[in-house]
Amino acid sequence: MYRIDHWIDGHTVSSKSGRTGNIFDPATGQIQGTVGFADVDEVDQAVANAKAALPAWRSTNLSRRAEIMFNMRELVSSHRSEIAALLTQEHGKVTADALGELARGLENIEYACGIPNLLKGGYSEQASAGVDVYNIRQPLGVVVGITPFNFPSMVPMWMFANAIACGNTFILKPSEKDPSTAMLIAELLKQAGLPDGVFNIVQGDKVAVDRLLSHPDIAAISFVGSTPIARYIYETGTKNGKRVQALGGAKNHMLVLPDADLDMAADALVSAAYGSAGERCMAISVVLAVDTIADELVAKVKSRIPNIVVGNGSDPSSEMGPLITGEHRDKVAGYIAGAAGEGAKVVVDGREGAPSDGFFLKPSLIDHAQPGMKCYDEEIFGPVLTVVRVKSYEQGLQLINDNQFGNGTAIFTRDGGVARQFQFDVNVGMVGINVPIPVPVSYYSFGGWKASLFGDLHMYGPDGIAFYTRSKVVTSRWPDPRTSKVDLGFPQNR
Ligand code: NAD
C-alpha cells in the first residue's frame, strides 16, 4: 500500500482533509494505494503558490524556458520505462500501449521547445506617419488542467507543456483513479530546472474541482473528460469569468465503403476498437458497414477477436488489459447484456471467458445496432464494437452527422474523390482517411465538434498557444515634442 498526495511549490504536501480515495490495481481488483483529496484550503494553498511564482516565471527568458523543455524532453525519454510501468500499474494498459501514450505526450513537450518561435508577434512599420503597430502574446496567469483517467501522462502533457512555456504557472488536478504518474512528472519538471511553484498538483475530486472553478485567481481551465462534466466545467468556469476549453466524450464511427480493402479495414477496426480496452476517446466504437460488404466485414472482425490476448498489462504477451474499475466494467457489461433485448445481435460476448481476477472484459462485437438503442446512442468506453449496416455512403454520412458527438471519425475506401467529399461534408473535428485513430500530431490541434468540445479553441498545437496567451497590440510613435498640438478628432491613418 502506498499513499499519493499533492505537489505544491516543488515538493510533496500531505493532505490533511481526512478525505481519501482508493487506488485499485485493475489487473487484480485489489486496492494498492490511497490518494489524499484536497479540501478548499489545500487548493487555495496551491493557487497561492502558483500565483507567487508567476511574476518571476513570466519574466524568465524564452531561451531559458526552451532549455527547461529540452531538459524535460530528455528526462521523460530516459524515464520512459518507469513512467510506462506506473501507467500499467494504475490504469492497467499494456506496456506497448503505455509507451505509445507517452510517445504521443512527449511530442507536446517537443513542440513547446519551440516556444521562442511560437510566441513571435507581428510588427507593422509606418502604419501611420511615424507610427508603428505590433502585437505581443502574454501569459494569462495561473491556469488549471483537469484530466481523465485514460491518459494519465499524455493529456497532462497536452496542457502543461504549452501553458508553462507560454509563461503561465500551472495547477494539475489528475484523475483520482490513477494519480501517481503526475507526481513523477512533477519530479522530472523539477529536475529539468523548472522553478518551484510553476507546476503544482492538487489531488482530489469534485471538491477540488469546484474550488478551482470558483477561485478568483484562476485565469483559465483546460478540461478533458466525459461530456456531462465537460459541460459543467465550461458553464461554471465561464460564468466565473474564466477562459475554458472542455473536451468531452465520443462515439467515433468508421465508415467502410465496398471498395475498401476489407482485411485492412478489419485489422484497423480491431486495433482501434479494442486497443487500451476501448478506453480511448478516439477509439472506434461504431462501424458503418455498407450492406454489400457487411457480412464479410463482420466475419473478418469476428475471426480476429479470438487472437487478442487479454491479460495483466505488465505481462509482455498481453495485448489488452483490464478496465479501470469494477464499476466501469459492470457498466460496460450492461450494454452487452441489454443489446439483444433492443434487437441487436451479440456476435461475440466479451463477458464470456474474461479473467475473473481484476476488472476484465474480453472484446465484444454487436451487429445490427441502430439509433435508438443504448449500445449505439451512448458512449460505452469499453472494448465493444457495434456494427450499423447502411445502404450507402450518404446514409453513413447522415448517421455520423446526426450523432450528438463529433470527436473523431474515419472512412476506409480506395476512392480519393469520395474520401475528399467525406472530409468536406462530415461534422466531426478529427477525420481519418484510411487512418482509424486520427489523433493530430502536436503541431496541429486536437479537438472534437458538437458535444465532444465546449469552448472555442482546440487543445495543444497552435490553438494551445492561443488558449494560454492573450494578445496585446501596441501602437507607438516617437514624435518631436515641438510638433505636439491638441486635436480632438478621432485618430486617422490617411
Ligand atoms: P470524468 O469526466 O469522470 O473525469 C474527468 C475529470 O473530472 C477527473 O479529473 C475527475 O476527477 C473530474 N470529475 C469527475 N466528476 C466530477 C464532478 N462531478 N465535478 C467535478 N469534477 C469531476 O472522465 P473519466 O471517466 O476520467 O474519463 C473518461 C471520459 O473522458 C470519457 O468520456 C472519454 O471519452 C473522455 N475523454 C475525452 C477525451 C477528448 O479528448 N475528448 C480524451 C480522453 C478522455
Side-chain angles (χ1 to χ4, degrees), residues 7 59 78 148 176 209 242 275 283 327 339 489:
W7 179 272
S59 308
S78 59
E176 63 277 34
V209 171
K242 300 176 194 325
E327 193 187 356

Side-chain angles (χ1 to χ4, degrees), residues 146-151 155 158 173-177 204-206 209-210 223-227 229 232-233 247-250 281 379 381 407 446 452:
I146 301 167
T147 53
F149 78 82
N150 65 324
F151 287 113
V155 172
W158 286 0
K173 207 303 281 171
S175 170
E176 63 277 34
K177 299 190 176 97
D205 59 357
K206 183 170 168 56
V209 171
D210 283 346
F223 172 88
V224 175
S226 60
T227 287
I229 311 298
Y232 169 73
I233 300 282
L247 278 60
C281 63
E379 181 183 37
F381 217 58
N407 214 40
F446 182 108
S452 296

